[in-house]
Amino acid sequence: ETGVTQSPTHLIKTRGQQVTLRCSSQSGHNTVSWYQQALGQGPQFIFQYYREEENGRGNFPPRFSGLQFPNYSSELNVNALELDDSALYLCASSSGLAGETDTQYFGPGTRLTVL
Amino acid sequence: AQSVTQLDSHVSVSEGTPVLLRCNYSSSYSPSLFWYVQHPNKGLQLLLKYTSAATLVKGINGFEAEFKKSETSFHLTKPSAHMSDAAEYFCVVSDQWDTGGFKTIFGAGTRLFVKA
């Protein structure tokens, strides 16, 4: 059983650019959530995907968007990057099993730096 | 609206002494509660989860947490700290959306230091 993987590990972009981050969920998991963790803070919920549909969203602007694919892997896209978007982006997956739907397993994250 | 408050931003203990990391929560429903640990340059690891089966929850690495509804608390404890326990700890509450999905709120974190 493979865990949650994310790519790339690190990324450097400049203001105004666009970025795509990728996540492969744990085997058997159909729900993926994305989080932004700024330095010294707890992760902030961005949005969640369940069976290719957005299933909930936090307080992030529309320039943060996502996709989930039939194999349940996922992408996070951020347009018009701002300096404050510099953070660790975490992906988490969870299964659809009753009683376990909100138990999340996290990937190692992608460190995004916006210059 | 749900929220999580971790009462200490930093906790320092000596190796072999007890650990107490405090967490209070607010939720409109019957939430699930979690503790996660984050070691430097590593991903978040699940320590334990409370559902409703038992108020005392045992987790990995000797950690446990007690759910106290009257106090809206979910404090994390360990009888004897080990150097490898030094990390950032997050208390987490999870509530369901009306759509059937769930929203997860993280506390700000507590940094645990363990002195030799």
Side-chain angles (χ1 to χ4, degrees), chain B residues 30-99:
Chain B
S30 297
S32 294
L33 295 164
F34 306 80
W35 277 96
Y36 282 85
V37 61
Q38 188 174 37
H39 291 273
N41 300 315
K42 291 193 176 180
L44 287 156
Q45 181 183 18
L46 178 65
L47 279 178
L48 49 82
K49 172 184 177 180
Y50 166 80
T51 50
S52 58
T55 56
L56 185 62
V57 184
K58 293 190 183 299
I60 62 171
N61 301 333
F63 285 95
E64 60 183 36
E66 186 172 9
F67 173 71
K68 292 186 176 180
K69 187 173 182 179
S70 60
E71 299 175 12
T72 60
S73 68
F74 190 56
H75 301 335
L76 181 71
T77 60
K78 183 174 180 177
S80 176
H82 191 273
M83 294 297 289
S84 62
D85 294 328
E88 187 87 20
Y89 291 80
F90 293 98
C91 182
V92 179
V93 62
S94 179
D95 270 344
Q96 280 205 312
W97 300 100
D98 293 340
T99 57

Side-chain angles (χ1 to χ4, degrees), chain A residues 11-78:
Chain A
L11 202 52
I12 299 175
K13 292 285 189 178
T14 57
R15 286 175 56 189
Q17 286 188 311
Q18 178 266 342
V19 68
T20 297
L21 310 181
R22 294 177 175 83
C23 171
S24 291
S25 59
Q26 187 164 312
S27 177
H29 287 187
N30 57 19
T31 302
V32 173
S33 301
W34 285 91
Y35 296 83
Q36 180 194 67
Q37 186 178 18
L39 201 61
Q41 298 181 23
Q44 300 290 315
F45 174 75
I46 302 175
F47 45 56
Q48 181 181 97
Y49 279 83
Y50 170 69
R51 294 188 174 180
E52 304 178 58
E53 297 284 332
E54 187 177 291
N55 195 36
R57 190 178 183 93
N59 296 325
F60 281 81
R63 60 189 185 84
F64 285 77
S65 63
L67 284 172
Q68 188 180 32
F69 300 100
N71 67 354
Y72 304 130
S73 66
S74 178
E75 287 183 355
L76 164 66
N77 299 290
V78 187

Side-chain angles (χ1 to χ4, degrees), chain A residues 13-18 80-85 113-115:
Chain A
K13 292 285 189 178
T14 57
R15 286 175 56 189
Q17 286 188 311
Q18 178 266 342
L81 283 167
E82 301 177 359
L83 296 179
D84 285 347
D85 295 334
T113 302
V114 182
L115 303 176

